[in-house]
Amino acid sequence: MAIHQDLFAYIEKSPTPFHAVAESARRLEQAGFAALNETENWSLVPGGKYYVTRNQSSLIAFVMPQTAGEGWRMSAAHSDSPSFKVKGASQQAGFTMLNTEGYGGMIRSAWLDRPLGIAGRVLVKTERGVKSRLVNLEGVSAVIPHLAIHFDRTVNDGHKYDLKKDMQAIFAGPDKNACYTELLARAAGCTPAEILGTDLQLYCKDKGQTVGGEAEFLLCPRLDDLGCAWATLWGFLGAPASRQGRVWCLFDNEEVGSGTRQGACGSFLPDVLARAGQALGENEQDRRRALANSLLLSADNGHAIHPNFAEMNDAASPVKLNGGVVLKFNASQKYTTNGVTGALFHSLCDTAKVPVQEYYNRPDLPGGSTLGNLLGAQVSVPMADIGLPQLAMHSCVEMTGAQDVQWLADACAAWFRADVRCNGDGCYQVAL
């Protein structure tokens, strides 16, 4: 399906958070959105379409409401995935090694014995100061090889993969440190001496593909969370003009807690909403009314039932691939969905003919957290947590249902298209 190919293209062009932001910005500009800079004054008009980036790894796009106090329909996904940060090159036992540091909670063994790309940004010295340039070393791969089973005959009994010992990557033969630097310089369009700093990581080079007897599943790197980033952007760009404003957020650093300037715990979204409200002439009453009349989808994937480990899921609420969009609940509010926001999401999906599956952690197994509960401390609006059902979360390559991708896109389109008005605490009027 064309929609799957568009998802695969988006993910392939987004090997790092920096590239995900650049690809999202390209799509936004094609749709008529104008770029803003946080260091400059903003001249915003009602109905205007804009986007702004922070650290080149987070992006917020928004369509201005027509008047102050109307509120915002929002979504949030994240640009980062578990990976290995590259600290530099060194010599070891006749090899040029890339020194790595683990980022996020990845399934380490999945990264071994496969070609790994090198991408990120290079900070370059110029006549006017420092400039950041995105790089992707096309045609160059590193590899993290397993130790042969002959030297570790218990590896299949459960090996503990040590980040310092097991997970360092081979780049080339001996004395190729200079070659590594030259490749980076060539990709950045500078000389090696002009490189002042880097933010680089290894990434899985596999392309997305369909699998299964009837191509009913998708196998692709970085589905968590670029699958949700893509789907929410799809819905955001396809929505018609509305009295309310619309906001699409892509945050970095979710996989390490979001506690950064460009993460969901930072001030990025409050800053953007404050500047947009100021342009509309909002007073304090308007600002409070706007937040009270706003809603946000926190979009991050959820765990489908694994046929080999069905006991790990809550037997009372199994989530299946190709069973529909996941709506996530948690008593401890690691997921922010409650009865009201869940009912709103169900209502919109019923109208859009999108099936919804409710996900709960097994009562004795704590799950992970995501954007919503962290973002709620910064912007106090009602939220629901949703996502694609998937298997192999945080593996180098992940799996989801082909039909679920279409349903998630349709659900996000319904979310941004609908006219939802708060008529009182816990009461909403919904019209598509």
Side-chain angles (χ1 to χ4, degrees):
M1 294 175 64
I3 197 168
H4 299 150
Q5 296 308 313
D6 191 60
L7 168 65
F8 293 157
Y10 180 81
I11 292 178
E12 185 177 355
K13 293 174 182 176
S14 306
T16 74
F18 308 112
H19 291 82
V21 163
E23 173 61 14
S24 300
R26 184 190 69 80
R27 293 181 177 220
L28 287 161
E29 289 180 0
Q30 281 188 338
F33 283 73
L36 301 171
N37 191 322
E38 283 198 281
T39 64
E40 299 173 352
N41 289 326
W42 292 1
S43 296
L44 310 177
V45 298
K49 302 192 295 187
Y50 310 96
Y51 77 90
V52 60
T53 66
R54 181 176 283 188
N55 189 52
Q56 297 181 281
S57 61
S58 293
L59 183 153
I60 293 179
F62 59 101
V63 179
M64 292 285 287
Q66 295 298 322
T67 58
E70 288 290 343
W72 303 90
R73 190 70 45 73
M74 299 183 278
S75 72
H78 62 89
S79 60
D80 61 322
S81 299
S83 62
F84 290 90
K85 300 291 185 178
V86 178
K87 299 186 288 185
S90 64
Q91 301 298 305
Q92 184 174 329
F95 292 94
T96 298
M97 307 293 294
L98 296 183
N99 306 316
T100 66
E101 183 176 1
Y103 174 88
M106 81 288 289
I107 298 175
R108 297 174 185 176
S109 61
W111 286 81
L112 277 70
D113 307 320
R114 65 168 71 235
L116 301 173
I118 306 162
R121 66 179 176 183
V122 173
L123 290 307
V124 176
K125 180 180 180 180
T126 69
E127 291 182 356
R128 301 182 62 182
V130 179
K131 187 171 181 61
S132 176
R133 295 175 180 168
L134 298 192
V135 299
N136 188 355
L137 300 189
E138 303 286 352
V140 176
S141 299
V143 64
I144 307 173
H146 258 109
L147 179 67
I149 194 170
H150 308 78
F151 299 123
D152 183 9
R153 295 187 181 275
T154 64
V155 66
N156 291 323
D157 298 329
H159 181 77
K160 182 178 180 180
Y161 290 92
D162 183 277
L163 287 171
K164 187 176 186 302
K165 183 72 172 176
D166 293 288
M167 308 309 295
Q168 302 304 304
I170 293 175
F171 173 72
D175 302 320
K176 294 295 183 181
N177 293 48
C179 173
Y180 172 67
T181 305
E182 288 167 3
L183 285 170
L184 286 180
R186 190 182 310 156
C190 67
T191 66
E194 291 172 332
I195 295 179
L196 297 176
T198 62
D199 287 310
L200 301 168
Q201 67 184 60
L202 301 179
Y203 72 91
C204 179
K205 299 180 75 171
D206 288 15
K207 296 182 184 297
Q209 59 182 305
T210 57
V211 297
E214 296 182 346
E216 65 265 54
F217 306 119
L218 305 184
L219 204 61
C220 190
R222 301 180 293 284
L223 281 171
D224 175 22
D225 189 34
L226 293 183
C228 287
W230 169 86
T232 50
L233 183 58
W234 176 285
F236 175 77
L237 291 178
S242 169
R243 291 178 301 169
Q244 280 194 318
R246 301 196 304 274
V247 180
W248 181 78
C249 303
L250 185 63
F251 292 108
D252 194 7
N253 301 134
E254 190 275 344
E255 298 293 359
V256 291
S258 296
T260 62
R261 175 174 173 266
Q262 60 274 6
C265 288
S267 66
F268 195 14
L269 182 55
D271 289 347
V272 170
L273 295 182
R275 295 178 77 165
Q278 185 180 38
L280 291 168
E282 277 187 354
N283 57 32
E284 191 62 20
Q285 287 274 14
D286 292 331
R287 189 177 74 84
R288 300 292 183 183
R289 287 194 305 112
L291 288 177
N293 201 36
S294 297
L295 293 165
L296 187 144
L297 279 186
S298 169
D300 201 357
N301 291 347
H303 302 291
I305 192 167
H306 193 304
N308 296 335
F309 303 95
E311 71 279 4
M312 304 306 292
N313 288 71
D314 182 12
S317 54
V319 169
K320 300 177 181 179
L321 296 184
N322 291 317
V325 176
V326 174
L327 179 63
K328 299 187 285 185
F329 292 85
N330 180 256
S332 299
Q333 288 297 286
K334 294 295 185 182
Y335 308 131
T336 59
T337 315
N338 59 28
V340 174
T341 58
L344 278 172
F345 187 73
H346 269 294
S347 174
L348 293 173
C349 288
D350 285 348
T351 304
K353 295 182 171 49
V354 172
V356 176
Q357 305 181 84
E358 295 189 351
Y359 174 82
Y360 297 82
N361 293 316
R362 207 178 80 176
D364 57 339
L365 287 178
S369 62
T370 183
L371 297 161
N373 66 323
L374 301 172
L375 194 57
Q378 305 302 315
V379 179
S380 184
V381 300
M383 302 182 186
D385 272 283
I386 68 162
L388 285 169
Q390 73 163 87
L391 297 177
M393 187 176 288
H394 289 195
S395 183
C396 202
V397 177
E398 299 168 316
M399 182 176 177
T400 191
Q403 183 60 60
D404 292 321
V405 168
Q406 179 70 66
W407 280 328
L408 181 61
D410 291 343
C412 293
W415 175 261
F416 281 112
R417 183 176 63 245
D419 182 12
V420 181
R421 309 294 297 176
C422 182
N423 292 335
D425 191 16
C427 299
Y428 289 84
Q429 177 180 328
V430 181
L432 288 176

